[in-house]
Amino acid sequence: MPPRPDTATAQTVDGAIGVPERARPVEPEHRPGRLRRLARAGRADWRRSALAAASGLALTAAFPPYGLWPLSIAAVAALALLTHRRTARQAAWTGFAFGLPFFVWLLQWLHVVGWDAVIGLSIIEAVFFVPLGAALALTSRLPGWPLWGGCLWVAEELVRDRLPFGGFPWGRLAFANSASPFTPLAALGGAPLVSFGVALTGGLVAAAVLAGWRSRGRGRQALIGLGAAVLAAAVAACGYAVPVPTKADGQLKVAVVQGNVAQPGMHFLGRPMMILNNHVDATLQLARDIKAGRVARPDLVIWPENSSDLDPFTYPQAYDAITRAVRTIGVPVLVGALVDGPDADHVQNEGILWSPVTGPGASYTKQHPVPFGEYVPFRKELTKVIHRLDEIQRDFYPGNHTGVMTMGGARLGDVICFEVAYDGIVRDTVNAGARAIVVQTNNATYGRTGQPEQQLAMYQLRAVEHGRAVVAAATSGISALVEPDGTVKRQSKEFTREVLNVHLPLRDGTTVADKIGAVPEWTLAMVGVLSCAVAIWLGRRGRMEDKGK
């Protein structure tokens, strides 16, 4: 009879003598998917998730049309506190809980396309806050964590502004601070430096609150809290020390024609030629006012994007109507039109300079068409699932050069609609010699939703960033003149026919932001990424030391 095995070191498996317990292979533990783990973390800490969602909504209120910019600091501070010294997984969920309601409310103007578009885009944009939340938690264990947090916000915006499909910059902290003490920072480092200033201030406010809570007003922590509060105030006040160049080297008399549309929403076009005729009629009325001596003759007339709802090179009636208006006014007119592209599958969104003598001449083609609005990625596959995409019958063909043209005797830079949100396009236009920035836009689809006000804030920031006046022509509003210091000098009401006769300041000098380009953005982003890497390395080294002990 074989000896009985020691029960402390062996076991019977299916009636046979087993291997020792410590040598038996361990079955792999089933791990739920990443999204399921995030959802589980959210359920386990619903109060923190609710606070994160409320903070995200507060950030939305910092943007136009509400414009409560101090809430951008408060929202950043709240996210810093909610992720402070949490695990990366917990903070990743907190970031998503912050980002989703923020974008749903910020982008609600997309509901005219469909609420599925609002939710879908908001989810995509909120995903970028997942690594941001995790990174904020990791770096919160490092000395000077508010600084690293500010850099991480810039890194998040850098990636989101470029991915996917060329990115979507809506919701940058800088765009909530186009008329705040942080705005002058744009002249030094562009929109990224403004975002960094806001995020750093928010982080310092969070540090002050945290130290104050721990100290209850006594001891070393109280001094740390006071120091953080003073630093936050100092960063917020830094913009006042930045010189914003505003002295004009000349000016141009410009008439901005807002012809209006048939109705707001997806079907703003009305019957063919209606929008074009609106702009022709407004221009002819301007010519009568000039002849009667009520207004001075401008050097240039600017029509908005899509002011010609028919391709003037394909439809003779559109060509003739534009020519009649231009010859009557007697000065060049910048016309916005969709024209046939290089092949039958594409169209081009163009600004065409129309001379009263020689007709159509120099033109600018929009460089950055909007995905799912002006072209359909993976058209063959997606149109089988999303039938609404069939309404975009032809994709927009992108241009390959800036919109700098000599208009009315001055070199101006044309930028079309959403392109004003992209740093590189506007910066390249100024560096190519534009003495002022012209924005042709058509916001009729999103009229009275807050989107035109959000875009107007971008004009203000770009004016300060580049030291250039911005004149915007919109089909239904908001048309505006923004001075180089970001002041809105004139603006139209939405859904009215209106002509703004303005004196456009011209400048030749460039700002520091123009000269150094994207260097501040990439530098701050890399510092943020490296700080996160250092935090991970220190955490692993600490665990190894603990295991050794």
Side-chain angles (χ1 to χ4, degrees), residues 160-394:
R160 188 165 58 82
D161 295 353
R162 292 164 174 81
L163 298 173
F165 308 119
F168 187 69
W170 240 260
R172 299 169 73 179
L173 293 176
F175 294 154
N177 286 269
S178 59
S180 80
F182 297 99
T183 309
L185 296 175
L188 295 180
L193 189 60
V194 177
S195 289
F196 173 72
V198 175
L200 176 58
T201 303
L204 289 168
V205 169
V209 170
L210 196 62
W213 175 262
R214 289 171 176 170
S215 70
R216 300 298 195 276
R218 298 185 299 276
R220 181 170 176 268
Q221 285 293 325
L223 292 176
I224 292 175
L226 179 62
V230 171
L231 279 176
V235 173
C238 276
Y240 292 114
V242 178
V244 176
T246 59
K247 184 179 179 181
D249 300 311
Q251 64 179 17
L252 196 70
K253 294 193 293 292
V254 174
V256 179
V257 176
Q258 178 177 301
N260 207 4
V261 299
Q263 58 188 358
M266 289 291 290
H267 305 288
F268 66 88
L269 282 172
R271 66 179 186 275
M273 291 283 292
M274 177 178 285
I275 292 179
L276 176 56
N277 286 334
N278 286 351
H279 288 84
V280 168
D281 293 344
T283 304
L284 295 176
Q285 179 59 52
L286 173 62
R288 289 190 289 269
D289 290 340
I290 293 170
K291 187 176 181 178
R294 288 187 287 270
V295 297
R297 183 180 299 276
D299 300 307
L300 173 70
V301 174
I302 300 175
W303 288 6
E305 177 190 26
N306 301 148
S307 48
S308 179
D309 47 3
L310 295 178
D311 181 352
F313 304 112
T314 301
Y315 295 89
Q317 63 269 40
Y319 187 101
D320 293 342
I322 296 171
T323 300
R324 180 166 64 96
V326 175
R327 287 179 178 174
T328 302
I329 198 68
V331 299
V333 177
L334 183 64
V335 178
L338 297 183
V339 303
D340 289 336
D343 55 55
D345 296 326
H346 291 88
V347 295
Q348 295 179 166
N349 191 351
E350 291 193 344
I352 307 166
L353 190 60
W354 212 286
S355 167
V357 178
T358 59
S363 65
Y364 166 65
T365 301
K366 187 176 184 179
Q367 301 174 69
H368 198 298
V370 179
F372 303 103
E374 296 176 328
Y375 76 96
V376 181
F378 310 110
R379 175 181 288 272
K380 184 177 179 180
E381 294 78 14
L382 290 180
T383 50
K384 295 177 181 178
V385 182
I386 308 174
H387 301 295
R388 190 188 310 157
L389 296 176
D390 287 326
E391 295 182 16
I392 307 171
Q393 298 177 1
R394 292 195 290 173

Side-chain angles (χ1 to χ4, degrees), residues 69-83:
W69 65 263
L71 288 179
S72 61
I73 300 174
V76 170
L79 184 60
L81 290 170
L82 291 169
T83 56

